[in-house]
Amino acid sequence: MAKEKIVLITGASSGIGEATAKTLVNNGHKVILTARREEQLNQLVAELGSDNALAVAADATDFTALENVVTKGIEKFGRLDVAFANAGMGVSTAGTEKGDPDEWSTMIDINIKALLWSAKLTLPHLRKTTGHFILTSSAAGRKPIGGSIYGATKWFAYGFGQNLAQEMSEWNGRCTTIAPGMVNTPFFDEAKPDKLDPQDVADAVLFAIEANQRNSVREIYLMPTN
């Protein structure tokens, strides 16, 4: 069994974040969970056990609120080994000409700014543990998609992850960018059999953090088989 990791997860109340929390705890790790929906977070902690999980509700786009999450998590567990910046959203109307600027602004706050805040706030603690930063980009951040503002925010996430991996390598820290295709989560309106499952992404996170310290898994690109 790999050494127990203390892992902070943003966007933890459903979908990929929830699946990852369960997978990590089931494999002997402990989690600090944050999202805006406090009730769902508390239910998840009740399921995982308060020895293994802490919930601190916060809006990841609020720097001060996210700082409180990191502080509370370290107060409980004493250190931070991994940060998983997973919070994200899409838009209801695609395209540049037809898109909604207010919706873009909200999406940029969560897909870009919250990612930056997560890195800024956790890196000093990850440096102490020679830790690991993981982020959710997207297959949409690896290829052009006509008029996709969402895709452009995930291009940012993808590029940031590559740059951060180099920055963290200066002190032997590891950074993994996870780029999944469509995942069957509340993010999308209807379930389809040709989507990935949140568990697929959770398994990728587990693989990356449990890899031998000499092995920095820089990127995991997941697509539905069919």
Side-chain angles (χ1 to χ4, degrees):
M1 225 289 287
K3 173 178 170 284
E4 173 192 276
K5 309 274 189 183
I6 309 301
V7 185
L8 186 151
I9 303 172
T10 70
S13 62
S14 65
I16 290 168
E18 179 185 9
T20 301
K22 292 177 180 179
T23 297
L24 293 180
V25 169
N26 287 339
N27 283 273
H29 304 293
K30 297 185 187 299
V31 291
I32 303 158
L33 307 173
T34 189
R36 286 174 297 182
R37 296 181 293 181
E38 187 168 18
E39 187 177 342
Q40 283 92 330
L41 287 177
N42 290 338
Q43 288 173 356
L44 188 53
V45 169
E47 182 179 340
L48 299 176
S50 58
D51 289 344
N52 300 316
L54 171 71
V56 186
D59 182 340
T61 67
D62 181 332
F63 187 89
T64 304
L66 199 56
E67 187 172 34
N68 179 57
V69 174
V70 176
T71 300
K72 292 274 174 61
I74 289 174
E75 280 175 2
K76 178 174 175 70
F77 293 117
R79 67 178 197 275
L80 184 66
D81 299 305
V82 184
F84 180 29
N86 168 66
M89 66 168 284
V91 290
S92 60
T93 306
T96 307
E97 195 172 346
K98 294 180 180 177
D100 179 349
D102 290 334
E103 211 172 24
W104 294 347
S105 183
T106 303
M107 179 174 64
I108 286 167
D109 281 347
I110 189 76
N111 290 4
I112 294 179
K113 290 183 181 177
L115 171 59
L116 294 175
W117 301 167
S118 298
K120 172 74 174 173
L121 290 165
T122 60
L123 281 173
H125 303 286
L126 296 176
R127 184 187 282 266
K128 292 175 186 174
T129 57
T130 318
H132 197 153
F133 191 89
I134 302 178
L135 63 123
T136 304
S137 178
S138 171
R142 301 176 84 258
K143 63 184 180 185
I145 299 173
S148 177
I149 308 301
Y150 166 76
T153 67
K154 291 301 186 177
W155 274 99
F156 176 91
Y158 186 82
F160 176 71
Q162 307 301 306
N163 293 354
L164 185 61
Q166 292 197 23
E167 182 180 353
M168 291 178 69
S169 72
E170 296 170 6
W171 43 269
N172 295 325
R174 301 189 293 174
C175 180
T176 304
T177 300
I178 299 183
M182 280 194 179
V183 181
N184 200 4
T185 71
F187 188 99
F188 294 106
D189 291 334
E190 76 280 3
K192 289 183 180 175
D194 59 347
K195 290 178 183 173
L196 296 166
D197 190 85
Q199 187 61 50
D200 299 323
V201 183
D203 290 342
V205 173
L206 182 69
F207 172 77
I209 70 171
E210 290 194 346
N212 190 290
Q213 184 64 32
R214 69 175 173 266
N215 176 16
S216 181
V217 180
R218 292 282 184 98
E219 178 183 349
I220 301 180
Y221 174 36
L222 308 169
M223 289 296 286
T225 305
N226 56 342

